[in-house]
Amino acid sequence: QVQVKDSGGGLVQPGGSLRLSCAVSGSIDNTFVMGWYRQAPGEQRLLVAAFDRSGRTSYRDPVKGRFTISRDNANNMGYLQMDSLKPEDTAVYYCNLRSWYSGLEYWGQGTLVNVSS
């Protein structure tokens, strides 16, 4: 049974930083890639950062240059480093694992990031 647990959210002032973590347990094959989504109140869930099957990273425009996605395959961990945070980054952030081969995906439970003074 695969489980995905994301953590690291909290309250931070504008301009501050947070690092979100994604811990994966269980067995997944190498067709799975990691991404981070966020969902603000009343809005749809959007992809903000992800790896593709070649290991390249991509970012949604509003977070480019401020967010960095990374992974530690040896320890089944993923991260989202968020710098220069803005109030508009306030949302619940979700870690996602998706197989580019089968489409099967797993979600974390979400972690709340609140950027406010």
Side-chain angles (χ1 to χ4, degrees):
Q1 181 75 13
V2 176
Q3 291 188 325
V4 178
K5 180 173 176 58
D6 34 42
S7 61
L11 175 63
V12 62
Q13 292 188 341
S17 298
L18 281 175
R19 187 177 81 155
L20 306 183
S21 298
C22 177
V24 180
S25 60
S27 179
I28 57 172
D29 61 35
N30 60 6
T31 69
F32 281 84
V33 291
M34 178 176 288
W36 285 92
Y37 289 71
R38 71 184 183 189
Q39 187 169 20
E43 298 184 11
Q44 62 181 0
R45 191 174 297 187
L46 298 174
L47 180 65
V48 294
F51 288 101
D52 67 13
R53 55 187 289 183
S54 299
R56 291 182 296 250
T57 58
S58 62
Y59 299 90
R60 183 169 291 275
D61 281 349
V63 309
K64 283 182 179 177
R66 300 188 297 121
F67 289 13
T68 305
I69 189 172
S70 63
R71 60 191 177 186
D72 177 356
N73 291 334
N75 292 299
N76 292 332
M77 293 291 296
Y79 303 97
L80 184 68
Q81 177 67 39
M82 305 185 296
D83 299 317
S84 302
L85 282 162
K86 304 176 181 180
E88 52 263 45
D89 295 318
T90 295
V92 178
Y93 285 72
Y94 298 88
C95 180
N96 171 272
L97 291 179
R98 183 178 180 279
S99 170
W100 52 260
Y101 179 75
S102 67
L104 181 64
E105 61 182 352
Y106 300 98
W107 290 93
Q109 80 285 358
T111 184
L112 175 63
V113 172
N114 186 358
V115 185
S116 175
S117 55

